[in-house]
Amino acid sequence: MVVKTHPLPVAGAALLALLLTAPPAATGQHRSAEARAAEIGQQVNQLSDRDPNAGRALAWSASQDFRKEGERILAGRFGLQALKLDAEVNAWQRLARDALAVRGELTNELDSDGIALFYNLLLHAQGMLGDRDSQQKSVKAYIEKAVAMSGEDSKSEIMARIIGAYSFLETGDTQEGFIRLQSALRHAAAGINYGLTLSEYTTAAQSFADSGQIAAAEAFYTEGLGTNAAKIESRELATLWFEYSRFLQRSGDDIDATLRTAQTAREMLQRQYGETSEEAISGGDNLASFLVNNGAVASGLNIQEEVYQTALSSLGDQVPLTWRTANNYAEALRMVDHPEVARGIDEDLLKLRIAHYGHASIQALVSASNLGLDLLALGDRDGALKAFEEQRKIGAEIADPHSEHAAQGEKWKEYTKAYFLRHARMDDKSLEEMAAIKDWRSAPDLMRIKTAQLAAEQFEMRDDTGRALTLRQEAYEISKGAFGELHPLTFDALLEVATTHMRRKDAETLQSFQQLDEKMFDWMLREVGSSGNRYVAETTRRLADDMLRAFGDFAQSSPEAATPYAGAVARWKTMESGERTRLRMVAETTDPDVHRLVETVVRLLGQQQELLSSGDVDTEVRQILSELKAARDRLPKSLGQNIATQSVEDVLGTKAAMVDFFVSSRRARNGDADSADSKLQAIVRRKGEVPVIFDLGALGAIIKQAAAEEDPDRRFGKLYQSLFGPLKDVLEDKTQLYIVPDGALYSIPFAMMKTDDGRHLDEAFEVHILTREDAILFAPRRDGPIPGEKALVVGDLKYQHQRALPFTRREIHEVGNKLKAAGLDVVSLSGTTGMETPIRKASADASIIHLATHGFFAADADEETTDALWRSGLIVAGKVGAQEPDVNDDDGILYARELMNWDLSSTDLVVLSACQTALGDPSRIGNVRGLPTALAIAGVRRSLLTLWSVDDEGTANFMARYYQMLTEDKLDYAAALRRTRIEAIGGKIEKASDPSLWAAFVLFEG
């Protein structure tokens, strides 16, 4: 049976009230009748409150009396009121009898709205009596009356057909009602009443959906969208799309189709009602919630935040729709592990909703529960218990017999108490009750998941790993069904399954970790690579850290897992699919036009990854995404598809080894000591060997212990022992060392480290510092100056507010002369010509760029509001003084953020002979966020930078010798630096023998 949601029954009382208060005519006789009608109406209302039948009798009598007096309008009003009172007491037989008796009179006394209400009442009564013949005759009479009053195909006729159809549906004749309703809607669709047609299709679909008849509802939605009325955009069409999207979210399983529908609805609502309207806000909230709940968390969270801010600014913070958007925004934040942000929102919402809806309201209950979850995640036991107790009290006050709100609040309290004492053994009865909650269908899905996982921990304490595994697998299935396979909550659940397999030493362990790694990485590429959100970017790496820490523990004891784990670490450190690597490999073999296009795609991929992973989503990012799509579309379809990427082990020589450092941080969990400390691993790769994994300990402790040594030699000797000492056996016969740092290790001067026999690292090994593992594939390519190519030398600049660097004049003179002597075409910029725009133009197609100037990195700035790429850069010549960080070619500052957008794809080497150019914030995607990141994204193959401030004269001398090694001794870029440093250590370069100078320089190859 369909429960009718058509407007007429809902509005019946209001319509009747309108009819009963229609304005009187102006005659004195009518004024007297109107006065009597008002008095009788008051008596009818008073009687009806006590005895509806008595009130009905008075209204019916008044109707007959006024009819005799010729007061048609008053007779009609009281006649309808009497019939309405019949319906209230289910006096269907009397209603049908009396309505038929006066049908002719009443339908002549009422306007079109009154006639609609009259037939609605009559048809319902006949249907309830099962008198189908009379019901069909009444429908026919109603249609004929509508045509007589308004004409064929009029709104009145259409509504007569529709109301007649609903009367059959309401009274149990579903088949007849469906046929009639479909016929009525198709009749409407054939006409020109487009707005009415779409509105009634929407109502019909909602009616069937509400009664659980999903197929019929789907049919009405799709048929409505296929009508001529749907070919013209309108508010009614926007509403139909919106309701259809909500229907698909509740009942459909085609995520892509649902997403397209929700996007269409939102866009149309924005156009039809305005972007700040309640309708558009509802459309955006609907779309965002769908995206978040189905794993598209980054794009969903971006839209949800935008919608919430729009609601706040346009509607204010005292409007229920704003509260709904706030509630959904906080829910999304919790899903990506940011309860600290959600908490403030939920605290305010709880107060606002109680004040507006009252304490015993479902809205207040939801906010109390959400606040409890925030506080639970933040480790506030007492606060969480207080919030869940509030939930329990509200649930008890609501006293809904069809829900278990109070019981849910009580269960959350039990879970909270057990969670904070989970290292203590629960009694058997409490444990079984906790384990059983997963089967409680009235419980929220999150509760079912968390209680199952907590119970699993308890069973592991009892060495019952079989029961623990079953519970964790069930938690995973619940999460997968509720939130989808690609969702942070589901990843957490699957990680617990994998770690349980590991503890049990199950054969499925490796497969579980590989499956989780693959799913998470695919999700990351979609989320970080297409939308970007600052919260999601943080959560993505934290999820990866949790997974990789457990995977690494397994790989250390299981050799078969070492290679898959090493590959996973390499992928997660770059957060790339390998597309950039494949494109770089084929770029050299393509024709020049394709080569340039490939370089453009590679640069744009780097910009996209950097900006989206940092959550810096703005208009520029969207422009980059658009340019990237256009460039990709122009690439030959088959380009790079059949390229087989070599492994690190394939490329390494027999005397070479790669040490890939990896820093992971496990999310802090209440009751776990030092759970959030960063752990450092070293993954050693050698030719023809399985990777060897070393746990080196907590990175913070390693650095702290080394820093405690006052003597620099002892300090860096201890650092060497911590980082390379455990690797001694596997590096014993190696002479070539490729180091891939991570996190804070990018700021460590590896050149100052000494081996056990007292040699500096450069004296013991041929060292290469790579920014990513796959850089080893490109390190031998174009690794020295090439005669005939272009070089740019910049220095001796005229600054606005910085002190001059007099020795840079000699530096660029000597560097330029050596490069010219080697056959390069040298362009020099100095004085006022060294402004940002001339430097950028001269950089085009330069294979070597040397800049001798001031550099900076503002480490003490507010990292929350100022991005590292705006806190690092170079000082160049300028016309105006710098203000706030911004894109400005004349301000005398070349920020890393600006440099990132340059095209330096032709550049083999950039030398920034300046202070602090290698510094930046630790990055979540390899390298260090600052000038090193900017240069790599711009396309530079190698960058020679400094870790701290360096002496002007000593730097000039060091650089002169470096370029002499390159051009006269024909050494490659890395070897020339190594030889120059060794000479400086030996005192052979004037004013460069102190470690503060020679150790400052680092060559990043990537």
Side-chain angles (χ1 to χ4, degrees), residues 245 248-249 251-263 287 290-296 480-486 526:
S245 74
L248 289 176
Q249 289 183 44
S251 58
D253 55 6
D254 188 337
I255 292 177
D256 291 337
T258 306
L259 175 59
R260 290 193 299 271
T261 303
Q263 288 172 326
L287 173 60
F290 171 75
L291 289 168
V292 170
N293 291 333
N294 286 276
K480 187 168 66 171
F483 304 108
E485 205 167 13
L486 301 180
R526 185 188 71 187

mmCIF file of all heavy atoms in Angstrom, residues 245 248-249 251-263 287 290-296 480-486 526:
data_model
loop_
_atom_site.group_PDB
_atom_site.id
_atom_site.type_symbol
_atom_site.label_atom_id
_atom_site.label_comp_id
_atom_site.label_asym_id
_atom_site.label_seq_id
_atom_site.Cartn_x
_atom_site.Cartn_y
_atom_site.Cartn_z
ATOM 1 N N SER A 245 18.347 12.167 -6.564
ATOM 2 C CA SER A 245 19.680 11.873 -6.026
ATOM 3 C C SER A 245 19.575 11.349 -4.598
ATOM 4 O O SER A 245 20.294 10.428 -4.203
ATOM 5 C CB SER A 245 20.566 13.116 -6.080
ATOM 6 O OG SER A 245 20.208 14.067 -5.096
ATOM 7 N N LEU A 248 18.414 7.742 -4.809
ATOM 8 C CA LEU A 248 19.483 6.825 -5.211
ATOM 9 C C LEU A 248 20.470 6.574 -4.077
ATOM 10 O O LEU A 248 20.986 5.467 -3.924
ATOM 11 C CB LEU A 248 20.227 7.395 -6.424
ATOM 12 C CG LEU A 248 19.465 7.393 -7.753
ATOM 13 C CD1 LEU A 248 20.289 8.062 -8.841
ATOM 14 C CD2 LEU A 248 19.091 5.973 -8.172
ATOM 15 N N GLN A 249 20.716 7.584 -3.269
ATOM 16 C CA GLN A 249 21.626 7.395 -2.130
ATOM 17 C C GLN A 249 21.060 6.395 -1.128
ATOM 18 O O GLN A 249 21.813 5.631 -0.513
ATOM 19 C CB GLN A 249 21.874 8.730 -1.433
ATOM 20 C CG GLN A 249 22.737 9.685 -2.249
ATOM 21 C CD GLN A 249 23.028 10.977 -1.520
ATOM 22 O OE1 GLN A 249 23.342 10.977 -0.340
ATOM 23 N NE2 GLN A 249 22.901 12.095 -2.209
ATOM 24 N N SER A 251 18.703 3.979 -1.836
ATOM 25 C CA SER A 251 18.275 2.678 -2.363
ATOM 26 C C SER A 251 19.121 2.142 -3.509
ATOM 27 O O SER A 251 18.993 0.973 -3.865
ATOM 28 C CB SER A 251 16.828 2.784 -2.854
ATOM 29 O OG SER A 251 16.708 3.783 -3.857
ATOM 30 N N GLY A 252 19.982 2.963 -4.084
ATOM 31 C CA GLY A 252 20.743 2.501 -5.250
ATOM 32 C C GLY A 252 22.103 1.965 -4.867
ATOM 33 O O GLY A 252 22.592 2.181 -3.758
ATOM 34 N N ASP A 253 22.721 1.274 -5.797
ATOM 35 C CA ASP A 253 24.064 0.761 -5.562
ATOM 36 C C ASP A 253 25.024 1.165 -6.681
ATOM 37 O O ASP A 253 26.164 0.706 -6.721
ATOM 38 C CB ASP A 253 24.048 -0.762 -5.416
ATOM 39 C CG ASP A 253 23.402 -1.464 -6.613
ATOM 40 O OD1 ASP A 253 23.078 -0.772 -7.594
ATOM 41 O OD2 ASP A 253 23.223 -2.693 -6.545
ATOM 42 N N ASP A 254 24.552 2.024 -7.591
ATOM 43 C CA ASP A 254 25.393 2.527 -8.667
ATOM 44 C C ASP A 254 25.964 3.863 -8.221
ATOM 45 O O ASP A 254 25.328 4.920 -8.350
ATOM 46 C CB ASP A 254 24.574 2.686 -9.952
ATOM 47 C CG ASP A 254 25.452 3.033 -11.157
ATOM 48 O OD1 ASP A 254 26.556 3.564 -10.955
ATOM 49 O OD2 ASP A 254 25.011 2.795 -12.292
ATOM 50 N N ILE A 255 27.171 3.821 -7.659
ATOM 51 C CA ILE A 255 27.760 5.028 -7.080
ATOM 52 C C ILE A 255 27.991 6.098 -8.132
ATOM 53 O O ILE A 255 27.730 7.287 -7.903
ATOM 54 C CB ILE A 255 29.076 4.663 -6.367
ATOM 55 C CG1 ILE A 255 28.774 3.804 -5.135
ATOM 56 C CG2 ILE A 255 29.845 5.918 -5.963
ATOM 57 C CD1 ILE A 255 30.002 3.334 -4.402
ATOM 58 N N ASP A 256 28.465 5.706 -9.298
ATOM 59 C CA ASP A 256 28.745 6.693 -10.343
ATOM 60 C C ASP A 256 27.476 7.410 -10.794
ATOM 61 O O ASP A 256 27.465 8.626 -10.975
ATOM 62 C CB ASP A 256 29.413 6.018 -11.538
ATOM 63 C CG ASP A 256 30.828 5.544 -11.215
ATOM 64 O OD1 ASP A 256 31.432 6.093 -10.279
ATOM 65 O OD2 ASP A 256 31.318 4.617 -11.892
ATOM 66 N N ALA A 257 26.401 6.626 -10.988
ATOM 67 C CA ALA A 257 25.131 7.232 -11.411
ATOM 68 C C ALA A 257 24.599 8.167 -10.334
ATOM 69 O O ALA A 257 24.089 9.260 -10.631
ATOM 70 C CB ALA A 257 24.106 6.148 -11.719
ATOM 71 N N THR A 258 24.698 7.757 -9.086
ATOM 72 C CA THR A 258 24.233 8.591 -7.986
ATOM 73 C C THR A 258 25.042 9.873 -7.910
ATOM 74 O O THR A 258 24.485 10.961 -7.684
ATOM 75 C CB THR A 258 24.346 7.827 -6.656
ATOM 76 O OG1 THR A 258 23.654 6.587 -6.772
ATOM 77 C CG2 THR A 258 23.740 8.628 -5.519
ATOM 78 N N LEU A 259 26.347 9.772 -8.099
ATOM 79 C CA LEU A 259 27.195 10.959 -8.062
ATOM 80 C C LEU A 259 26.820 11.938 -9.167
ATOM 81 O O LEU A 259 26.687 13.151 -8.922
ATOM 82 C CB LEU A 259 28.659 10.543 -8.207
ATOM 83 C CG LEU A 259 29.677 11.681 -8.317
ATOM 84 C CD1 LEU A 259 29.616 12.590 -7.104
ATOM 85 C CD2 LEU A 259 31.085 11.114 -8.488
ATOM 86 N N ARG A 260 26.615 11.421 -10.383
ATOM 87 C CA ARG A 260 26.229 12.306 -11.492
ATOM 88 C C ARG A 260 24.902 12.994 -11.198
ATOM 89 O O ARG A 260 24.728 14.184 -11.495
ATOM 90 C CB ARG A 260 26.136 11.507 -12.800
ATOM 91 C CG ARG A 260 27.474 11.036 -13.355
ATOM 92 C CD ARG A 260 27.323 10.538 -14.780
ATOM 93 N NE ARG A 260 26.425 9.401 -14.867
ATOM 94 C CZ ARG A 260 26.820 8.134 -14.745
ATOM 95 N NH1 ARG A 260 28.100 7.855 -14.527
ATOM 96 N NH2 ARG A 260 25.963 7.140 -14.854
ATOM 97 N N THR A 261 23.978 12.252 -10.616
ATOM 98 C CA THR A 261 22.662 12.820 -10.302
ATOM 99 C C THR A 261 22.779 13.920 -9.261
ATOM 100 O O THR A 261 22.178 14.992 -9.394
ATOM 101 C CB THR A 261 21.728 11.707 -9.796
ATOM 102 O OG1 THR A 261 21.652 10.678 -10.789
ATOM 103 C CG2 THR A 261 20.339 12.242 -9.540
ATOM 104 N N ALA A 262 23.565 13.668 -8.206
ATOM 105 C CA ALA A 262 23.735 14.668 -7.148
ATOM 106 C C ALA A 262 24.449 15.912 -7.668
ATOM 107 O O ALA A 262 24.120 17.043 -7.287
ATOM 108 C CB ALA A 262 24.510 14.059 -5.985
ATOM 109 N N GLN A 263 25.436 15.724 -8.547
ATOM 110 C CA GLN A 263 26.143 16.863 -9.127
ATOM 111 C C GLN A 263 25.204 17.686 -10.006
ATOM 112 O O GLN A 263 25.199 18.923 -9.940
ATOM 113 C CB GLN A 263 27.337 16.374 -9.946
ATOM 114 C CG GLN A 263 28.483 15.852 -9.106
ATOM 115 C CD GLN A 263 29.571 15.209 -9.939
ATOM 116 O OE1 GLN A 263 29.284 14.586 -10.972
ATOM 117 N NE2 GLN A 263 30.817 15.331 -9.513
ATOM 118 N N LEU A 287 25.269 16.505 -1.912
ATOM 119 C CA LEU A 287 26.381 15.991 -2.713
ATOM 120 C C LEU A 287 27.590 15.697 -1.839
ATOM 121 O O LEU A 287 28.219 14.634 -1.959
ATOM 122 C CB LEU A 287 26.751 17.009 -3.797
ATOM 123 C CG LEU A 287 28.015 16.707 -4.621
ATOM 124 C CD1 LEU A 287 27.891 15.388 -5.359
ATOM 125 C CD2 LEU A 287 28.296 17.850 -5.595
ATOM 126 N N PHE A 290 27.199 12.562 0.316
ATOM 127 C CA PHE A 290 27.322 11.348 -0.491
ATOM 128 C C PHE A 290 28.787 11.036 -0.786
ATOM 129 O O PHE A 290 29.224 9.891 -0.663
ATOM 130 C CB PHE A 290 26.545 11.499 -1.801
ATOM 131 C CG PHE A 290 26.790 10.376 -2.774
ATOM 132 C CD1 PHE A 290 26.215 9.140 -2.563
ATOM 133 C CD2 PHE A 290 27.623 10.552 -3.860
ATOM 134 C CE1 PHE A 290 26.463 8.084 -3.442
ATOM 135 C CE2 PHE A 290 27.875 9.517 -4.741
ATOM 136 C CZ PHE A 290 27.284 8.275 -4.530
ATOM 137 N N LEU A 291 29.545 12.050 -1.175
ATOM 138 C CA LEU A 291 30.952 11.831 -1.501
ATOM 139 C C LEU A 291 31.727 11.321 -0.290
ATOM 140 O O LEU A 291 32.482 10.350 -0.379
ATOM 141 C CB LEU A 291 31.570 13.138 -2.003
ATOM 142 C CG LEU A 291 31.118 13.604 -3.392
ATOM 143 C CD1 LEU A 291 31.567 15.036 -3.656
ATOM 144 C CD2 LEU A 291 31.656 12.685 -4.474
ATOM 145 N N VAL A 292 31.530 11.974 0.850
ATOM 146 C CA VAL A 292 32.258 11.573 2.057
ATOM 147 C C VAL A 292 31.891 10.157 2.464
ATOM 148 O O VAL A 292 32.759 9.335 2.800
ATOM 149 C CB VAL A 292 31.971 12.561 3.207
ATOM 150 C CG1 VAL A 292 32.507 12.021 4.528
ATOM 151 C CG2 VAL A 292 32.589 13.915 2.909
ATOM 152 N N ASN A 293 30.606 9.836 2.425
ATOM 153 C CA ASN A 293 30.157 8.519 2.875
ATOM 154 C C ASN A 293 30.563 7.394 1.935
ATOM 155 O O ASN A 293 30.475 6.222 2.303
ATOM 156 C CB ASN A 293 28.639 8.517 3.051
ATOM 157 C CG ASN A 293 28.198 9.367 4.225
ATOM 158 O OD1 ASN A 293 28.938 9.550 5.182
ATOM 159 N ND2 ASN A 293 26.998 9.915 4.148
ATOM 160 N N ASN A 294 31.005 7.762 0.732
ATOM 161 C CA ASN A 294 31.408 6.739 -0.232
ATOM 162 C C ASN A 294 32.899 6.801 -0.552
ATOM 163 O O ASN A 294 33.335 6.303 -1.580
ATOM 164 C CB ASN A 294 30.575 6.862 -1.512
ATOM 165 C CG ASN A 294 29.168 6.354 -1.321
ATOM 166 O OD1 ASN A 294 28.916 5.154 -1.424
ATOM 167 N ND2 ASN A 294 28.243 7.260 -1.028
ATOM 168 N N GLY A 295 33.672 7.410 0.351
ATOM 169 C CA GLY A 295 35.115 7.348 0.236
ATOM 170 C C GLY A 295 35.773 8.481 -0.527
ATOM 171 O O GLY A 295 36.988 8.608 -0.485
ATOM 172 N N ALA A 296 34.985 9.307 -1.239
ATOM 173 C CA ALA A 296 35.576 10.452 -1.945
ATOM 174 C C ALA A 296 35.696 11.600 -0.948
ATOM 175 O O ALA A 296 35.069 12.656 -1.076
ATOM 176 C CB ALA A 296 34.710 10.845 -3.143
ATOM 177 N N LYS A 480 32.895 -2.056 5.368
ATOM 178 C CA LYS A 480 32.825 -2.092 3.902
ATOM 179 C C LYS A 480 31.396 -1.880 3.424
ATOM 180 O O LYS A 480 31.153 -1.165 2.445
ATOM 181 C CB LYS A 480 33.386 -3.417 3.392
ATOM 182 C CG LYS A 480 33.524 -3.479 1.873
ATOM 183 C CD LYS A 480 34.349 -4.674 1.431
ATOM 184 C CE LYS A 480 33.661 -5.980 1.738
ATOM 185 N NZ LYS A 480 34.350 -7.138 1.116
ATOM 186 N N GLY A 481 30.436 -2.508 4.123
ATOM 187 C CA GLY A 481 29.043 -2.347 3.727
ATOM 188 C C GLY A 481 28.500 -0.965 4.012
ATOM 189 O O GLY A 481 27.685 -0.430 3.254
ATOM 190 N N ALA A 482 28.954 -0.366 5.120
ATOM 191 C CA ALA A 482 28.408 0.935 5.530
ATOM 192 C C ALA A 482 29.092 2.101 4.831
ATOM 193 O O ALA A 482 28.438 3.078 4.455
ATOM 194 C CB ALA A 482 28.541 1.090 7.046
ATOM 195 N N PHE A 483 30.428 2.023 4.668
ATOM 196 C CA PHE A 483 31.178 3.171 4.170
ATOM 197 C C PHE A 483 31.859 2.924 2.830
ATOM 198 O O PHE A 483 32.394 3.859 2.236
ATOM 199 C CB PHE A 483 32.239 3.575 5.203
ATOM 200 C CG PHE A 483 31.678 3.860 6.559
ATOM 201 C CD1 PHE A 483 31.890 2.995 7.615
ATOM 202 C CD2 PHE A 483 30.903 4.983 6.778
ATOM 203 C CE1 PHE A 483 31.367 3.236 8.868
ATOM 204 C CE2 PHE A 483 30.372 5.244 8.031
ATOM 205 C CZ PHE A 483 30.598 4.364 9.079
ATOM 206 N N GLY A 484 31.854 1.688 2.372
ATOM 207 C CA GLY A 484 32.501 1.381 1.115
ATOM 208 C C GLY A 484 33.895 0.822 1.323
ATOM 209 O O GLY A 484 34.495 0.945 2.396
ATOM 210 N N GLU A 485 34.411 0.207 0.288
ATOM 211 C CA GLU A 485 35.705 -0.464 0.376
ATOM 212 C C GLU A 485 36.856 0.517 0.450
ATOM 213 O O GLU A 485 37.874 0.256 1.100
ATOM 214 C CB GLU A 485 35.876 -1.384 -0.837
ATOM 215 C CG GLU A 485 36.815 -2.527 -0.610
ATOM 216 C CD GLU A 485 36.705 -3.571 -1.711
ATOM 217 O OE1 GLU A 485 36.080 -3.276 -2.750
ATOM 218 O OE2 GLU A 485 37.234 -4.662 -1.520
ATOM 219 N N LEU A 486 36.702 1.678 -0.203
ATOM 220 C CA LEU A 486 37.769 2.677 -0.233
ATOM 221 C C LEU A 486 37.400 3.825 0.693
ATOM 222 O O LEU A 486 36.885 4.864 0.270
ATOM 223 C CB LEU A 486 37.999 3.176 -1.660
ATOM 224 C CG LEU A 486 38.370 2.116 -2.690
ATOM 225 C CD1 LEU A 486 38.577 2.745 -4.057
ATOM 226 C CD2 LEU A 486 39.616 1.347 -2.269
ATOM 227 N N ARG A 526 43.398 8.849 -6.063
ATOM 228 C CA ARG A 526 42.138 9.491 -6.427
ATOM 229 C C ARG A 526 41.874 10.730 -5.589
ATOM 230 O O ARG A 526 41.495 11.785 -6.115
ATOM 231 C CB ARG A 526 40.987 8.505 -6.244
ATOM 232 C CG ARG A 526 39.633 9.058 -6.709
ATOM 233 C CD ARG A 526 38.506 8.122 -6.317
ATOM 234 N NE ARG A 526 38.268 8.151 -4.882
ATOM 235 C CZ ARG A 526 37.426 7.327 -4.263
ATOM 236 N NH1 ARG A 526 36.800 6.397 -4.936
ATOM 237 N NH2 ARG A 526 37.226 7.424 -2.963
#
